[in-house]
Amino acid sequence: MASFLSDRSTTLSSSGVGARGCWIASKSRPATNFRYQLHSSAWKATALSPTKRIQREIPGSYGLPLLGSISDRFNYFYFQGTEEFFRSRAEKYQSTVFRVNMPPGPPFFPDPRVIVLLDQQSFPALFDVSKVSKRDVFTGTYKPSADFNGGYRILSYLDADEPRHAQIKAFCFDMLKSRAKSIVPGMDFAACRCFDRWEKELRAKQAPELVSSIEEICLAFLTRALMDHDATGASGLSTETIKKWLAPQIAPVALLDAIPPPIMELLHVFPLPFAVVKKDYEAIVSYFSAHSTALLDLAATHGVPRDEALHNLIFMVCFNTFGGLIRLLPEVVQRVHESGVAKELSNEVAAAVRDAGGRLTARSIDGMPLLHSVVYECLRFQPPVPFQYARARQDMVIESHKEAFRVKKGEMLCGFQPFATRDGVVFDRPNEFLPRRFMGDDGAKLLKYVLWSNGPQTENPSVDNKHCAGKDFIVLVTRLFLAEFFLRYESFQLDGQSIKSLSRRSPST
Ligand code: HEM
Ligand SMILES: CCCCC[C@@H](/C=C/C=C\CCCCCCCC(=O)O)OO
């Protein structure tokens, strides 16, 4: 039988953008030599089979009450890092399902015990809302105080069976639909303005900074596209204000670059009070109150009271969308740079736009198969949100590729996604970034294993599930961002987090 951990030597020599730049990305995302893969393709014969026998209890241990969680947390963040943390345990237990403590920890975050899921067979258990509850598990084993959200339990924290869930999610879908026509012009405005600035800076022998530029693009794009206003202008809102509000909400599970470990450890056991960002949130509320009348009217048609809708809207735009995009887009730029597909992408974008009459539209994007594949491969290779949590509603059975395990009602499941999306049973050369992986009929068959949105890429979010409401929006926006870039440039050079050079396409090509 093939070794459980075999075939994990193929690595892409790359560096994770998150590890070096964006504050919000954690150092726990490994910078080089990704080895997330646990299974080789030799497992294909036995894996994904319908039923297996329950032969043993779920392996792993939580250790002594306080000490076990401290030891696991230190290994997760500092001594081993996330990849080795999970990989070494999977090897020790010979299982992709096992028990361990996840951050944050006691005394102020009381229960860190989870059952980890690391393969494509077990991971979808997290999506079956008939068997698992997603109530208050959006950020993990803890939930930030509702003070960060105007006192409301926001949509992302609601279980699918809570009545408000369907109302607010329907509002979210409707908002995206009602603003569909503004998405392309919104990105065009924000991206082109930024590209003009980059060129000016390069002419002045300065090196434009990638991550902060992308943050600026995202905020300008989102507020233009959704509210017909540019928050990055005067009387607006700064990206720093939004990031300050986001930080304490994810600090319990993140490794923030700028913070020394002893202080960070405090954040992993003690929630920062809302008071530290109260002023920032007030600025955000004031901005959205002034610019979201039409969207709040729309929310009212779904039965969502205005004030609750306002705080949900802020969360959708600033946490879900802005927070997600500023993790995703720098990573995308880095991957495209390293994989050497810039010129081909640029040719593909230019040809499709020419064929569609010379304008970049949502429809012209359809004729860009390499671009589509590259975006999916980015989302597979480094899912922007690495973990998803869910609590068993009832006693249930979870299958890994080789075994079945009994899970008790109330136990917490934690899927660590990069292992599942680098599962060698379903993906060839899973640790390599292959720009063409999702092209053609065979590529399309792999999309069901792309899980970044808390569900398979081939399925749709609905008011009855917990699949990300922005799934299609994010894929479109990422394509649009790249298409804008490659319509103007045919190649680029990065120097760490800075843009070293940009070469424009000649207008005739
Ligand atoms: C790169 C960007 C994004 C990423 C990586 C992302 C990822 C996710 C993930 C992993 C979840 C599931 C969390 C859980 O385990 O419960 C989720 C849920 C959610 N996302 Fe996103 N998302 C992104 C953008 C968006 C956008 C653009 C919107 C809407 C405008 C959005 C709205 C939501 C909502 C409302 C939920 C909760 C769904 C529900 O309650 O049924 N997200 N997202
Ligand atoms: C700031 C992150 C924004 C993502 C928005 C997206 C989904 C969020 C889901 C859960 C929030 C978890 C926060 C991620 C912390 C990552 C820490 C790490 O890397 O180890 O919204 O739908």
Side-chain angles (χ1 to χ4, degrees), residues 134 155 165 169 320-321 324 388 452 454 465-466 468 474:
K134 295 281 290 182
L155 171 60
H165 176 270
K169 200 163 181 184
N320 297 123
T321 315
Q388 278 81 57
W452 71 273
N454 196 41
N465 63 29
K466 286 290 290 179
C468 171
I474 287 300

Side-chain angles (χ1 to χ4, degrees), residues 8-14 32-35 381 431-433:
R8 59 183 166 81
S9 54
T10 347
T11 55
L12 177 76
S13 159
S14 61
T32 54
N33 293 337
F34 296 111
R35 294 185 304 156
F381 195 74
N431 276 328
E432 292 179 65
F433 183 91

Side-chain angles (χ1 to χ4, degrees), residues 126 134 137-139 154-160 165 168-169 172-173 175-176 222 226 312 315-317 319-329 379 383-390 417 451-455 461-471 473-474 477-478:
L126 295 159
K134 295 281 290 182
V137 298
F138 180 66
T139 44
I154 293 295
L155 171 60
S156 291
Y157 295 98
L158 301 181
D159 189 27
H165 176 270
I168 306 176
K169 200 163 181 184
C172 183
F173 290 141
M175 167 182 81
L176 295 176
L222 285 171
L226 298 176
N312 268 283
F315 198 89
M316 284 166 202
V317 177
F319 195 120
N320 297 123
T321 315
F322 179 78
L325 281 173
I326 65 171
R327 289 172 75 88
L328 173 64
L329 295 185
L379 290 163
V385 180
F387 45 68
Q388 278 81 57
Y389 287 79
Q417 203 185 125
L451 310 173
W452 71 273
S453 57
N454 196 41
S462 81
V463 296
D464 300 318
N465 63 29
K466 286 290 290 179
H467 206 151
C468 171
K471 170 184 167 257
F473 178 83
I474 287 300
V477 167
T478 310

Side-chain angles (χ1 to χ4, degrees), residues 210-501:
L210 182 68
V211 173
S212 60
S213 301
I214 285 179
E215 290 168 359
E216 200 79 358
I217 291 178
C218 289
L219 183 58
F221 156 67
L222 285 171
T223 48
R224 264 296 257 258
L226 298 176
M227 299 188 294
D228 292 323
H229 187 267
D230 174 13
T232 60
S235 78
L237 191 60
S238 81
T239 56
E240 295 309 310
T241 304
I242 299 177
K243 290 193 297 173
K244 251 179 97 182
W245 167 74
L246 277 171
Q249 299 175 72
I250 65 161
V253 288
L255 205 57
L256 305 176
D257 284 355
I259 301 178
I263 296 179
M264 198 144 43
E265 267 325 289
L266 279 179
L267 301 179
H268 294 154
V269 293
F270 179 81
L272 273 176
F274 172 63
V276 298
V277 295
K278 186 166 181 283
K279 285 249 153 13
D280 300 278
Y281 194 54
E282 280 168 1
I284 297 174
V285 170
S286 152
Y287 178 81
F288 276 79
S289 304
H291 298 285
S292 62
T293 308
L295 294 178
L296 300 185
D297 290 345
L298 187 65
T301 67
H302 292 280
V304 187
R306 286 190 96 77
D307 193 54
E308 188 172 353
L310 173 67
H311 293 281
N312 268 283
L313 177 65
I314 291 172
F315 198 89
M316 284 166 202
V317 177
C318 298
F319 195 120
N320 297 123
T321 315
F322 179 78
L325 281 173
I326 65 171
R327 289 172 75 88
L328 173 64
L329 295 185
E331 197 87 34
V332 167
V333 173
Q334 193 79 24
R335 296 288 161 231
V336 167
H337 181 240
E338 285 164 359
S339 61
V341 283
K343 187 79 203 287
E344 283 167 89
L345 278 175
S346 183
N347 289 342
E348 181 182 86
V349 170
V353 168
R354 200 174 45 237
D355 291 351
R359 286 186 51 223
L360 181 62
T361 58
R363 178 149 317 153
S364 65
I365 295 244
D366 287 344
M368 303 178 191
L370 176 60
L371 180 75
H372 291 199
S373 177
V374 163
V375 171
Y376 291 137
E377 180 67 341
C378 289
L379 290 163
R380 177 197 77 87
F381 195 74
Q382 196 74 62
V385 180
F387 45 68
Q388 278 81 57
Y389 287 79
R391 209 176 272 288
R393 282 189 201 279
Q394 58 197 52
D395 290 356
M396 60 190 282
V397 172
I398 290 188
E399 288 190 11
S400 69
H401 284 313
K402 61 171 191 173
E403 290 173 87
F405 296 105
R406 219 169 257 124
V407 169
K408 289 217 166 53
K409 178 178 175 178
E411 291 197 293
M412 182 71 113
L413 307 173
C414 164
F416 195 78
Q417 203 185 125
F419 282 95
T421 54
R422 295 187 188 199
D423 187 332
V425 172
V426 300
F427 290 113
D428 290 330
R429 296 156 69 194
N431 276 328
E432 292 179 65
F433 183 91
L434 302 180
R436 288 178 177 68
R437 186 185 295 278
F438 294 100
M439 286 175 81
D441 291 345
D442 287 346
K445 285 186 196 140
L446 296 173
L447 283 176
K448 62 173 182 250
Y449 303 120
V450 176
L451 310 173
W452 71 273
S453 57
N454 196 41
Q457 189 60 36
T458 44
E459 291 178 18
N460 293 318
S462 81
V463 296
D464 300 318
N465 63 29
K466 286 290 290 179
H467 206 151
C468 171
K471 170 184 167 257
D472 296 339
F473 178 83
I474 287 300
V475 170
L476 173 63
V477 167
T478 310
R479 289 171 180 172
L480 264 179
F481 168 74
L482 284 178
E484 287 284 0
F485 184 85
F486 286 115
L487 203 51
R488 192 186 282 222
Y489 306 112
E490 61 180 12
S491 65
F492 65 106
Q493 291 299 319
L494 297 179
D495 183 6
Q497 289 296 287
S498 302
I499 295 161
K500 206 164 114 193
S501 69

